[in-house]
């Protein structure tokens, strides 16, 4: 891997440095609204931090990791140099430019609208422009993924797309389509209002358009992790992938069902009808299918590794697993957090149960556990796995990595479990401080204190991650970097169905379902006169 | 599209056929349950027939039971003014000129160039929509004042707008923006959540500026105390939907004095 | 290298195990969806989904949400309706009165930005979006007082936006409601 190495490294470095900075903000936020701290002197500072933390963690970190990992897969899985490196750099610099513009705007306090930026509240147009630039930079990446696959197929007619590349493209197509929702919201509704070209904005429609992106984006975030589950984990722990076909099935199911389910974020909204809410809820149940299939396939693949190491009996293979291998720890931690986070997700998506926890801290605890926990822990492993390829360094210290993973796992549980509980106790979201002296709020106080310590543990883990990556080369260079391989299937000769070697059908389904599930609500809301309400620009005049 | 070979779309491909059929079946089933079956158990969905029920499930707006028909209260608005963003924009130079002339009548209480020496509020640099709203409320009698009602009733709607444009064009009276150092009284910088008192700076500038919320720095202290007391007692009611009365209701007299003294401190320099 | 027949046999075992699991997954999904449908039918419960529009600019001038019409009413047919408005940074009325053990229909709208509220630890929970009226019906089984915070970020005063809901014993509520006025527990 040569041409793309620097490109991939650039993506990962910016991603993880931004990540570390956002971790500092997150830990501070938890502390400042806990009973350990006096109320912040100016609540706007808290909301400024929440905006920055959310924007980096949701829009910058996962996008850059997916992009970098995608470029690496193009070279490593297709075994050919990356086509369009210059365009890749153009995309990278667009993302950086957007990040910088948004970051500066947030830092001076002109964009404290949180990363969900729901109108009619409006921030400075520079914030939105920054986000747009980030998204446009990622669209260049999408195009490059398509182009690289096409070039490979021309040279390898009839061949089966390697699983890693298949998942990569599924993620790219998914992102391209899902980003349309927020892009339309920002370009058509928000920017004209933020620039002062109009005094009214359709707040209900903006929420629906944002929901188009808001759920499926988490599956875009999830793709690198699942690609790692299928193509890195089995090989790293000395096993085989139980079924290549199942991996493809999971990826195409994500492609089809991630999109048309966003309205489950709007269950409590008065501008969407009950019929659409139910349809989205039922289809959200469908999107848990690929995760359940993945859990089976990966556990089975891990079992293969255990039995190959001599494990016997119904559970003896668990003890035989290579627990000193960081990848083994990571996938085990990820699955534990996926289990808890997934269970929480089932509550959120249940049409009626959602009413109990909507917009309470349960929701925040949930997505920190499932995204910050189960997904991001594999982002670390992706970086660790690729680092020798990218930098020519000697193998990284397994002990340090294990420490970093343990800190992340423990920190995430300590952070998020009390967070779920306090949501059940009714604590609302997104407040800069709470008056814990009231008898109704007093029982909530200890949960926030515990979460604060969880946040500190996570911060330590994040800083250790950066340390490990930064000092890798200093620890020594490899005389020869071993050839990078992806996992092999347990039954490698199995033919891949044509439908699982292409994307046309699944993309058509994704678009078709989106039209059915979103078409009418969008058109309808756009045509309602009363839905256009006055804009409320934030900040002093 | 990458990976696009004819066979992925071919109906003869059993996998393709089954996938498409299952997806259609699933979608239709969800639609039937969501749009027909579930709404049918709600009387107010069913009230106007099947098609109306489907439309309601789809989110077509309609009026639901519990609407206005059952209310009998006398509708007494506390203010007639509708605040719009356009009101906050600067006036034309013609309007400012006319307003300057009209303002000559106001100098006895409100000071030359809008900086008052008495307990009347400063108007210099006040946001135009604030001046317009308060004058219109005096005109309609929704805000009471023995002096101001009479004066305002003599004005036309255009006069009111011109005055708003003029005063907004003047530099803000004796003030610098509120900073948020430690020295601010607690109610100004953090409010009191469980008494539903929002920080003053979240509406009155320094951090955020709500449309229609006046600039109050440098206002005479007695004026601020009197207005807060009037909101607290409910005597002043032209804050639409009680937005200020809700803030002041739980404040003590001492707190009113403290925040008024804080905002008036910039006037002390005179 | 295992011989072809053994490899093929093990592959069949693997595929069979996958297929079993796929059926189990399908069953799990079906159970979840069926539960949603059954509770939707049996208890007629659904999230607030009665779409209704309103002019946010003139709420204070005319219509159902004029200030003097806000609060809790008891209609001649026994229906209890609590009307409220959300704005930066308070709910009106600041203190809402509801009866114990009787269905209460909440109707809420916003004057400016997006708000939302949850009542204590109950499942009375909705978004309040300017331009729309949020309607839902619920019952409070026990008397007492609940805090009612705004739970959607609505600006730099969001953390101070707390109202209260007082659940009165049924008789006390009915006695107060007979007078026909709009009830609230706001101190005058």
């Amino acid at each position: 891997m040569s041409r793309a190495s620097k490109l991939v490294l650039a993506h990962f470095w910016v991603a993880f440095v931004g990540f570390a900075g956002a971790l500092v903000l997150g830990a501070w936020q938890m502390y400042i609204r806990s009973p350990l701290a006096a109320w912040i002197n100016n609540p706007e500072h808290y909301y400024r931090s929440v905006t920055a933390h959310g924007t980096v963690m949701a829009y910058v970190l996962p996008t850059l990791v997916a992009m970098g990992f995608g470029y690496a897969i193009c070279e490593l899985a297709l075994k050919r140099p990356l086509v369009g490196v210059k365009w890749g750099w153009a995309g990278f610099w667009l993302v950086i430019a957007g990040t910088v513009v948004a970051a500066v705007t947030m830092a001076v306090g002109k964009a404290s609208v949180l990363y969900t930026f729901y109108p009619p509240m409006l921030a400075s147009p520079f914030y939105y422009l920054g986000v747009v630039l980030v998204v446009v930079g990622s669209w260049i990446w999408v195009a490059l993924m398509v182009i690289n696959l096409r070039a490979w197929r021309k040279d390898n007619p009839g061949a089966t797309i390697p699983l890693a590349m298949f998942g990569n493209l599924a993620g790219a197509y998914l992102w391209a389509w899902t980003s349309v929702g927020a892009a339309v919201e920002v370009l058509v509704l928000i920017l004209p209002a933020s620039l002062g070209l109009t005094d009214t904005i359709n707040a209900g429609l903006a929420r629906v358009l944002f929901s188009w992106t808001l759920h499926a984006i988490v599956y875009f975030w999830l793709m690198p992790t699942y690609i790692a589950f299928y193509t890195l984990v089995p090989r790293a722990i000395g096993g085989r992938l139980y079924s290549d076909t199942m991996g493809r099935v999971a990826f195409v199911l994500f492609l089809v069902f991630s999109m048309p389910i966003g309205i489950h974020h709007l269950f409590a909204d008065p501008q969407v009808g009950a019929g659409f809410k139910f349809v989205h809820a039922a289809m959200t149940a469908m999107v848990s299918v690929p995760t359940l299939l993945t859990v089976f396939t990966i556990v089975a693949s891990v079992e293969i590794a255990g039995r190959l190491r001599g494990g016997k009996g119904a559970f003896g293979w668990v003890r035989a697993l290579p627990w000193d291998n960081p990848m083994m720890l990571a996938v085990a931690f990820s699955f534990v957090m996926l289990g808890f986070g997934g269970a929480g997700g089932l509550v959120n998506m249940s049409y009626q149960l959602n009413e109990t926890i909507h917009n309470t801290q349960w929701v925040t605890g949930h997505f920190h556990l499932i995204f910050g926990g189960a997904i991001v822990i594999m982002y670390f492993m992706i970086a660790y796995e690729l680092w020798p390829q990218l930098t020519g360094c000697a193998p990284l210290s397994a002990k340090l990595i294990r420490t970093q993973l343990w800190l992340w796992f423990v920190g995430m549980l300590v952070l998020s479990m009390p967070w779920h509980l306090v949501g059940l106790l009714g604590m609302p979201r997104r407040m800069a401080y709470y008056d814990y002296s009231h008898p109704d709020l007093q029982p909530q106080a200890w949960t926030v204190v515990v979460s604060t310590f969880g946040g500190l543990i996570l911060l330590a883990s994040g800083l250790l991650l950066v340390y490990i990556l930064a000092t890798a080369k200093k620890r020594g260079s490899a005389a020869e970097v071993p050839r990078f391989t992806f996992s092999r299937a347990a039954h490698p000769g199995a033919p891949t169905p044509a439908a699982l070697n292409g994307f046309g059908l699944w993309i058509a389904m994704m678009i078709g379902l989106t039209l059915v599930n979103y078409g009418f609500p969008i058109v309808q809301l756009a045509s309602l006169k009363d839905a256009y309400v006055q804009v409320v620009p934030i900040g002093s005049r | 599209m990458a990976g696009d070979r004819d066979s992925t779309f071919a109906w003869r491909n059993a996998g393709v056929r089954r996938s498409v059929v299952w997806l259609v079946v699933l979608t239709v089933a969800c639609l039937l349950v969501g749009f027909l079956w579930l709404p049918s158990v709600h009387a107010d969905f069913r009230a106007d027939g099947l098609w109306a029920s489907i439309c309601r499930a789809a989110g077509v707006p309609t009026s639901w039971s519990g609407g206005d028909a059952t209310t009998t209260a006398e509708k007494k608005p506390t203010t007639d003014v509708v605040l719009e963003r356009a009101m906050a924009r600067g006036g034309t130079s013609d309007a400012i000129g006319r307003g300057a002339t009209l303002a000559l009548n106001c100098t006895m209480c409100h000071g030359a160039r809008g900086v008052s020496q008495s307990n009347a509020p400063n108007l210099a640099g006040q946001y135009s929509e604030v001046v317009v709203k308060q004058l219109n409320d005096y005109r309609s009698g929704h805000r009471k004042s023995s002096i101001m009602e009479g004066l305002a009733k003599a004005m036309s709607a255009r006069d009111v707008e011109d005055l708003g444009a003029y005063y907004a064009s003047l530099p803000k009276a004796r003030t610098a923006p509120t900073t948020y150092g430690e020295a601010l009284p607690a109610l100004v910088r953090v409010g009191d959540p469980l008494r539903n008192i929002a920080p003053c700076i979240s509406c009155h500038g320094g951090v955020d500026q709500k449309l229609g919320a006046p600039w109050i720095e440098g206002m005479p202290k007695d004026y601020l105390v009197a207005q807060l007391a009037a909101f607290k007692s409910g005597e002043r009611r032209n804050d639409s939907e009680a937005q200020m009365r809700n803030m002041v209701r739980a404040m003590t007299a001492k707190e009113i004095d403290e925040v008024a003294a804080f905002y008036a401190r910039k006037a002390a320099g005179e | 290298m295992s011989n072809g027949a053994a490899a093929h046999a093990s592959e069949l075992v693997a595929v069979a195990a996958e297929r079993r699991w796929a059926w189990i997954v399908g069953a799990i999904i079906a159970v979840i969806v069926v539960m949603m449908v059954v509770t939707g039918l049996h208890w007629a419960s659904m999230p607030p989904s009665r779409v209704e529009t309103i002019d946010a600019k003139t709420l204070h001038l005319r219509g159902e949400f004029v200030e003097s019409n806000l609060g809790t009413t008891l209609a001649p047919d026994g229906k209890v309706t609590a009307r409220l408005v959300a704005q930066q940074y308070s709910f009106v009325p600041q203190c809402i009165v509801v009866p114990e053990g009787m269905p209460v229909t909440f109707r809420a709208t916003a004057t400016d930005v997006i708000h939302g509220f949850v009542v204590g630890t109950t499942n009375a929970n909705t978004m309040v979006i300017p331009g729309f009226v949020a309607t839902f019906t619920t019952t409070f089984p026990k008397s007492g007082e609940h805090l009612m915070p705004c739970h959607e970020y609505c600006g730099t005063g969001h953390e101070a936006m707390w109202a209260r809901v007082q659940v009165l014993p049924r008789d006390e509520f009915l006695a107060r409601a007979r007078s026909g006025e709009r009830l609230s527990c706001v101190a005058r």
Side-chain angles (χ1 to χ4, degrees):
Chain A
M1 234 192 71
S2 48
R3 298 176 75 183
S5 288
K6 273 180 73 178
L7 183 65
V8 176
L9 268 177
H11 283 78
F12 279 176
W13 267 120
V14 176
F16 289 124
V17 167
F19 174 67
L23 278 180
V24 172
L25 290 178
W28 174 78
Q29 281 157 222
M30 194 53 102
Y31 165 73
I32 201 73
R33 70 177 179 84
S34 77
L36 298 170
W39 291 356
I40 188 173
N41 205 32
N42 176 358
E44 189 270 326
H45 289 161
Y46 177 80
Y47 300 120
R48 197 185 297 193
S49 177
V50 177
T51 308
H53 175 85
T55 302
V56 169
M57 292 301 205
Y59 302 138
V60 178
L61 163 77
T63 309
L64 285 173
V65 168
M67 287 166 75
F69 191 32
Y71 291 129
I73 290 176
C74 278
E75 291 218 332
L76 294 172
L78 301 182
K79 299 189 178 51
R80 50 193 281 148
L82 181 70
V83 172
V85 173
K86 279 210 181 60
W87 281 102
W89 280 108
F92 171 76
W93 285 113
L94 268 179
V95 171
I96 299 308
T99 305
V100 168
V101 168
V104 168
T105 316
M106 290 187 285
V108 298
K110 293 207 180 302
S112 304
V113 287
L114 310 191
Y115 80 99
T116 44
F117 50 81
Y118 290 124
M121 273 198 302
L122 290 181
S124 153
F126 287 106
Y127 173 71
Y128 304 112
L129 280 171
V131 173
V132 165
L133 287 179
V134 170
V135 173
V136 172
S138 71
W139 285 346
I140 294 181
W141 167 77
V142 169
L144 284 179
M145 294 300 102
V146 174
I147 288 168
N148 272 271
L149 181 64
R150 182 164 290 167
W152 178 85
R153 292 200 102 165
K154 234 176 69 172
D155 294 344
N156 298 274
T160 303
I161 306 175
L163 183 60
M165 192 63 182
F166 189 80
N168 193 19
L169 262 293
Y173 281 126
L174 175 62
W175 174 237
W177 185 238
T178 195
S179 53
V180 167
V184 169
E185 183 204 357
V186 171
L187 293 172
V188 174
L189 293 182
I190 292 185
L191 268 177
S194 174
L195 289 167
L197 300 173
T198 169
D199 278 340
T200 59
I201 192 166
N202 192 325
L205 177 61
R207 264 181 82 86
V208 171
L209 285 172
F210 192 71
S211 79
W212 167 318
T213 299
L214 181 59
H215 200 81
I217 196 176
V218 318
Y219 296 106
F220 168 58
W221 298 342
L222 165 161
M223 284 304 202
T225 296
Y226 276 46
I227 294 172
F229 283 156
Y230 282 103
T231 66
L232 298 184
V233 169
R235 187 259 300 142
I237 62 170
R240 296 287 202 95
L241 176 60
Y242 190 78
S243 166
D244 176 284
T245 307
M246 262 315 186
R248 291 167 197 270
V249 168
F251 288 130
V252 303
L253 282 176
F254 277 125
L255 191 53
V256 173
F257 285 110
S258 301
M259 256 312 303
I261 62 175
I263 283 182
H264 72 234
H265 287 263
L266 305 179
F267 277 158
D269 277 46
Q271 77 275 18
V272 181
F276 285 105
K277 289 183 182 179
F278 175 76
V279 172
H280 283 239
M283 297 215 179
T284 307
M286 289 301 302
V287 87
S288 56
V289 169
T291 292
L292 289 169
L293 293 178
T294 300
V295 167
F296 176 84
T297 307
I298 301 304
V299 172
S301 308
V302 169
E303 184 186 352
I304 292 177
R307 297 207 182 278
L308 282 176
R309 290 165 67 91
K312 303 227 181 301
F315 295 105
W317 59 271
V318 177
R319 232 174 309 130
L321 288 169
W323 289 106
D324 58 344
N325 183 326
M327 185 65 89
M328 189 63 235
L329 270 190
V331 71
F333 291 159
S334 179
F335 271 27
V336 168
M337 293 189 283
L338 185 59
F340 286 119
L346 286 178
V347 168
N348 299 343
M349 66 139 259
S350 295
Y351 195 41
Q352 297 91 351
L353 266 182
N354 178 65
E355 285 298 293
T356 336
I357 46 80
H358 172 71
N359 255 2
T360 64
Q361 294 284 5
W362 165 282
V363 177
T364 333
H366 162 76
F367 66 71
H368 278 82
L369 178 61
I370 189 113
F371 172 54
I375 303 300
V376 166
I377 202 170
M378 293 308 291
Y379 286 4
F380 304 154
M381 290 315 300
I382 290 170
Y384 291 140
E385 282 285 308
L386 287 177
W387 222 244
Q389 300 292 315
L390 298 172
T391 60
C393 66
L396 300 169
S397 157
K399 190 150 180 292
L400 276 182
I401 296 178
R402 283 199 306 269
T403 308
Q404 192 256 323
L405 293 174
W406 267 109
L407 284 174
W408 192 257
F409 176 64
V410 170
M412 189 53 73
L413 288 180
V414 171
L415 174 89
S416 63
M417 290 305 172
W419 215 343
H420 281 83
L421 174 60
V422 82
L424 291 177
L425 295 176
M427 186 186 236
R429 282 178 77 177
R430 299 175 151 178
M431 287 190 172
Y433 40 81
Y434 296 85
D435 188 346
Y436 296 106
S437 65
H438 189 279
D440 284 5
L441 301 185
Q442 208 273 323
Q444 300 173 358
W446 72 267
T447 67
V448 189
V449 173
V450 174
S451 290
T452 305
F453 285 106
L456 286 174
I457 299 173
L458 290 174
L459 176 57
S461 177
L463 293 175
L464 182 54
L465 163 84
V466 175
Y467 173 80
I468 294 171
L469 296 178
T471 56
K473 219 40 214 276
K474 277 199 214 83
R475 292 168 51 85
S477 298
E480 191 197 315
V481 177
R483 197 169 61 91
F484 193 90
T485 54
F486 294 95
S487 56
R488 294 173 59 201
H491 302 104
T496 305
L500 295 176
N501 203 31
F503 298 95
L505 172 66
W506 315 110
I507 293 173
M509 285 182 171
M510 171 178 78
I511 295 179
L513 272 185
T514 308
L515 288 173
V516 170
N517 282 14
Y518 267 105
F520 182 78
I522 289 176
V523 168
Q524 214 247 137
L525 279 172
S527 65
L528 284 178
K529 199 174 55 71
D530 279 340
Y532 290 85
V533 295
Q534 304 225 60
V535 300
V536 180
I538 64 162
S540 298
R541 276 153 69 176
Chain B
M1 239 179 292
D4 202 4
R5 284 180 296 156
D6 288 332
S7 52
T8 59
F9 273 115
W11 196 248
R12 63 177 179 276
N13 182 324
V16 171
R17 209 167 45 235
R18 251 180 289 151
S19 306
V20 173
V21 168
W22 269 112
L23 186 65
V24 170
V25 165
L26 170 76
T27 306
V28 170
C30 286
L31 290 170
L32 287 174
V33 171
F35 286 86
L36 284 179
W37 200 10
L38 285 179
S40 69
V41 303
H42 292 267
D44 51 358
F45 272 83
R46 278 199 317 259
D48 283 344
L50 181 62
W51 177 244
S53 175
I54 295 175
C55 287
R56 286 167 187 192
V60 175
T62 183
S63 123
W64 297 87
S65 58
D68 215 4
T70 58
T71 67
T72 52
E74 194 189 339
K75 303 281 172 57
K76 272 191 327 223
T78 55
T79 168
D80 283 337
V81 178
V82 174
L83 283 175
E84 295 185 352
R85 286 233 80 84
M87 290 161 67
R89 299 218 165 83
T92 62
S93 49
D94 282 349
I96 295 177
R98 287 193 301 265
T101 312
L102 288 166
L104 293 172
N105 295 333
C106 313
T107 56
M108 214 164 62
C109 298
H110 290 285
R113 298 191 62 75
V115 178
S116 112
Q117 311 291 342
S118 66
N119 286 338
N122 301 322
L123 297 177
Q126 188 54 269
Y127 300 115
S128 58
E129 85 273 4
V130 173
V131 172
V132 167
K133 172 178 160 65
Q134 299 306 325
L135 279 177
N136 277 320
D137 281 339
Y138 281 127
R139 282 176 76 214
S140 61
H142 281 111
R143 184 174 174 184
K144 304 270 176 248
S145 159
S146 39
I147 306 174
M148 283 308 302
E149 278 184 74
L151 290 170
K153 282 186 167 68
M155 298 178 197
S156 72
R158 201 185 74 163
D159 289 341
V160 166
E161 281 171 29
D162 293 340
L163 280 169
Y166 168 68
Y167 281 118
S169 71
L170 299 176
K172 289 203 183 67
R174 318 186 192 104
T175 182
T178 305
T179 58
Y180 20 85
E182 294 293 336
L184 272 63
L187 284 188
V188 173
R189 58 183 169 82
V190 294
D192 191 350
L194 292 183
R195 283 189 288 161
N196 193 202
I197 303 175
C200 309
I201 55 175
S202 61
C203 290
H204 285 284
V207 157
D208 250 325
Q209 182 69 41
K210 190 171 175 182
L211 184 71
W215 182 262
I216 47 180
E217 251 137 343
M219 287 289 192
K221 178 170 176 229
D222 288 347
Y223 175 74
L224 291 177
V225 171
Q227 295 313 306
L228 287 176
F231 279 128
K232 187 177 157 83
S233 69
E235 190 194 315
R236 180 172 168 187
R237 307 174 64 81
N238 74 325
D239 56 330
S240 100
E241 305 288 14
Q243 50 193 293
M244 266 311 293
R245 278 169 281 152
N246 280 343
M247 295 296 108
V248 193
R249 182 170 290 126
M251 285 173 73
T252 64
K254 185 158 163 295
E255 286 167 333
I256 288 178
D257 200 80
E258 197 186 355
V259 302
F262 168 76
Y263 276 106
R265 80 201 182 292
K266 304 265 174 74
E270 284 280 308
Chain C
M1 188 87 166
S2 50
N3 73 52
H8 188 59
S10 73
E11 192 180 337
L12 288 176
V13 166
V15 168
E18 270 177 356
R19 206 156 274 158
R20 253 195 327 266
W21 178 248
W23 279 110
I24 295 174
V25 169
I28 295 173
I29 301 306
V31 163
I32 292 172
V33 176
V34 162
M35 265 179 14
M36 291 195 309
V37 175
V38 164
T39 50
L41 291 171
H42 183 60
W43 289 321
S45 63
M46 62 159 62
S49 309
R50 289 161 169 80
V51 181
E52 186 175 344
T53 56
I54 194 163
D55 181 8
K57 275 206 320 265
T58 57
L59 290 178
H60 59 288
L61 275 191
R62 51 182 162 271
E64 188 182 346
F65 293 93
V66 170
E67 193 186 323
S68 55
N69 200 33
L70 299 176
T72 309
T73 59
L74 176 65
D77 61 1
K79 187 162 162 194
V80 180
T81 306
R83 294 185 177 82
L84 61 124
V85 160
Q87 61 194 345
Q88 285 172 324
Y89 297 106
S90 60
F91 291 102
V92 191
Q94 249 177 348
C95 188
I96 298 166
V97 154
V98 294
E100 173 191 5
M102 292 169 66
V104 180
T105 299
F106 280 81
R107 286 174 63 77
T109 184
T111 63
D112 40 37
V113 299
I114 295 180
H115 300 269
F117 65 83
V118 60
V119 180
T121 54
T122 72
N123 62 2
N125 189 333
T126 184
M127 299 300 289
V128 183
I129 309 242
F132 294 88
V133 180
T135 308
F136 69 92
T137 303
T138 188
T139 309
F140 295 91
K142 259 190 4 214
S143 60
E145 186 176 278
H146 297 278
L147 290 174
M148 182 176 116
C150 173
H151 62 26
E152 182 58 56
Y153 179 64
C154 53
T156 49
H158 166 63
E159 71 285 338
M161 194 163 162
W162 293 76
R164 280 151 207 270
V165 173
Q166 271 184 14
V167 185
L168 297 183
R170 205 187 152 105
D171 298 330
E172 194 183 325
F173 175 83
L174 290 173
R176 284 183 59 182
R178 290 273 171 264
S179 59
E181 56 175 70
R182 303 298 179 258
L183 297 182
S184 77
C185 37
V186 170
R188 253 280 148 244

